Amino acid sequence: MHSPVGEYLQQILSECAADDGAVADYIPELAAADPDHLAVALCTPDGTLYSAGDAERRFTIQSISKPFAYALALRDHGIDAVLEKVGVEPSGDAFNEISLEERTGRPENPMINIGAITTHTLVGPADLDEDARTARVIEGLGAFAGRELAVDEDVFASEMSEVWRNLALASLVRANGIISGSPEEAVRGYTRQCAALVDVRDLAVMGMTLARGGTNPLTGEQVVPEEVARQVLSVMTSCGMYDAAGDWLSAVGIPAKSGVAGGILGALPGQVGAGTFSPRLDRFGNSVRGVRVFERLSRDMNLHLMRIPEPSLEVIGRRERTLRGRRLVVLQGAMDFASAEMALRHFERIDPSEGDVVVDIGMVSTLNDVGRRMLHEGLARLAADGHRVIVVDPHGRLGDLGGGRVPYIARVVPDREGM
Ligand code: GLU
């Protein structure tokens, strides 16, 4: 059998082919881009890649580098230290506006240029020189993509020839004491970062790395800690799509970042990393066909942050109520806060006069940290009520049972006759 996912992507591309909008022209080299390219790629949590269209076509990452440079700064200095320099509020202004908080002089967020130039300078130790810092950023982008990235020297030189506005922004944050080094160096480094070359498959892997909590699905490298990935995804959700962030959140609902070369990267936690490429932009600066492709993916596959998950109403299995005179509780499905609460309510109804209680979690499909903590507590309380608690945990999902507070029988698939 051949997986239909690739054909589905092909079909979306043919249905989203109509192209309006215009290529970015404020960087001369970008104005020369072929506007007809169109590509999409998806990456799954286990690192499987699907793509369609001009998936090998490389383009400059531009603003899509911003969340990743932000992630590297957070990794290197911690969330609090970076927050002192750059905020997390949507600015409602264009990407190259002077969006500074009145009271603090901090850039409003890391997704607009003034914030991104600041963030670039926060990658690595404060005393790094310009070349070493830029190399560290580009190497870090490569760790997210799972391969070493090159820089498009022509696009870099072209943007540097028209860099006055970014230079003005960098000078302002220097004047406010937000960055400490030279504004020229900050802008040069940031502009090189924007000129890193990627294709849609790189974007999909980079997105999946964030969507998996910082671990690259291809290389297995933990590029940034999980709390950093969460912080970056949050800021992408509120500020990622230039001035169209609100429309995007309701219509598409995938944390995303777009760039003026025509790329869009999306990262839906736990589900998918996605990349699209098509150079013509709408009035907000987002790729026209890229937006359409994302709208389709979100609608067809219910890939939306605010999708209402199916509640697990059948947490307690019906299989057996007793096992050789012992109370048997079979838990099943995904164990998160809501389902663990249901399991605890079930435990609550077990009378202290009942003797042994067997809790079988072999049918639990996933157990998140909250579910695990709640189950540990429930089992400990059953034990405290005087029950001998026997836990059947064939996949070892519960881990160490609360430092031995719960009497516990081996994690093996139970031999019913032998018990
Ligand atoms: N290098 C571009 C700039 O700073 C990136 C802009 C973008 O992609 O939004 O102007």
Side-chain angles (χ1 to χ4, degrees):
M1 181 224 133
H2 201 68
S3 165
V5 178
E7 287 154 43
Y8 164 68
L9 292 181
Q10 198 69 55
Q11 187 191 336
I12 299 194
L13 288 194
S14 60
E15 288 171 19
C16 296
D19 201 8
D20 33 284
V23 299
D25 56 7
Y26 76 103
I27 303 175
E29 194 68 22
L30 288 186
D34 177 346
D36 292 328
H37 291 304
L38 176 61
V40 60
L42 294 186
C43 181
T44 65
D46 68 357
T48 304
L49 275 161
Y50 295 96
S51 59
D54 305 306
E56 319 267 282
R57 186 84 213 169
R58 299 226 161 122
F59 52 93
T60 52
I61 189 167
Q62 298 297 340
S63 275
I64 302 169
S65 64
K66 291 172 180 174
F68 297 95
Y70 182 52
L72 298 172
L74 294 169
R75 176 195 68 186
D76 289 347
H77 297 281
I79 294 179
D80 290 342
V82 174
L83 274 177
E84 276 174 25
K85 306 276 187 189
V86 185
V88 289
E89 291 302 328
S91 69
D93 291 328
F95 72 100
N96 55 5
E97 265 315 305
I98 305 168
S99 300
L100 295 172
E101 264 180 8
E102 242 168 62
R103 201 171 39 84
T104 59
R106 288 186 309 182
E108 302 257 30
N109 70 66
M111 302 295 143
I112 49 175
N113 284 9
I114 197 161
I117 294 167
T118 304
T119 315
H120 176 90
T121 69
L122 295 175
V123 177
D127 57 0
L128 266 195
D129 69 28
E130 179 191 338
D131 289 346
R133 171 160 294 116
T134 308
R136 188 180 176 92
V137 173
I138 305 227
E139 214 174 280
L141 296 177
F144 278 104
R147 69 174 187 91
E148 209 175 300
L149 301 181
V151 167
D152 186 324
E153 296 295 343
D154 293 338
V155 171
F156 168 69
S158 177
E159 184 164 1
M160 284 306 292
S161 71
E162 295 290 338
V163 84
W164 315 119
R165 190 168 179 97
N166 281 344
L167 208 46
L169 297 175
S171 304
L172 265 179
V173 274
R174 177 72 177 89
N176 285 353
I178 301 284
I179 67 171
S180 44
S182 122
E184 286 86 355
E185 289 184 4
V187 168
R188 229 178 357 246
Y190 161 77
T191 307
R192 268 193 100 68
Q193 162 192 323
C194 288
L197 279 164
V198 289
D199 59 31
V200 284
R201 296 158 67 93
D202 295 321
L203 295 186
V205 175
M206 295 173 88
M208 194 66 235
T209 302
L210 288 178
R212 271 191 46 170
T215 302
N216 184 306
L218 299 185
T219 63
E221 183 189 351
Q222 177 94 41
V223 185
V224 292
E226 193 171 323
E227 63 270 20
V228 165
R230 192 173 67 180
Q231 172 80 4
V232 174
L233 287 167
S234 308
V235 177
M236 281 165 69
T237 306
S238 53
C239 316
M241 295 299 283
Y242 301 118
D243 247 0
D247 274 345
W248 176 269
L249 181 57
S250 50
V252 178
I254 299 177
K257 184 73 201 86
S258 63
V260 287
I264 302 181
L265 169 144
L268 192 60
Q271 292 218 56
V272 79
T276 58
F277 172 55
S278 172
R280 285 206 184 98
L281 310 178
D282 61 19
R283 67 191 168 91
F284 298 110
N286 296 319
S287 160
V288 173
R289 295 192 288 187
V291 170
R292 261 190 229 130
V293 169
F294 268 95
E295 281 171 357
R296 275 292 303 271
L297 282 173
S298 166
R299 203 172 56 229
D300 293 355
M301 297 294 149
N302 201 6
L303 294 172
H304 195 294
L305 214 48
M306 302 304 169
R307 140 194 90 92
I308 311 296
E310 307 295 331
S312 304
L313 290 177
E314 304 255 338
V315 174
I316 313 296
R318 291 160 202 245
R319 212 169 2 120
E320 291 138 273
R321 311 298 300 226
T322 58
L323 186 66
R324 299 203 167 165
R326 295 156 164 155
R327 162 78 83 143
L328 170 66
V329 183
V330 179
L331 300 181
Q332 61 188 23
M335 204 52 66
D336 53 12
F337 170 80
S339 43
E341 185 275 338
M342 261 187 253
L344 293 185
R345 238 181 310 135
H346 188 82
F347 292 170
E348 212 176 10
R349 289 199 294 269
I350 300 175
D351 195 274
S353 67
E354 289 188 47
D356 296 353
V357 177
V358 182
V359 178
D360 182 346
I361 69 156
M363 303 284 284
V364 167
S365 54
T366 57
L367 184 65
N368 72 7
D369 185 49
V370 175
R372 186 176 297 114
R373 282 186 352 238
M374 289 173 74
L375 281 188
H376 276 185
E377 188 57 33
L379 295 169
R381 286 179 182 218
L382 282 176
D385 274 357
H387 300 286
R388 205 163 71 96
V389 180
I390 299 154
V391 180
V392 181
D393 181 12
H395 312 296
R397 295 215 163 99
L398 270 180
D400 171 33
L401 275 181
R405 282 199 296 157
V406 184
Y408 171 59
I409 287 187
R411 279 178 201 146
V412 285
V413 181
D415 167 9
R416 302 261 165 227
E417 294 313 311
M419 272 180 90

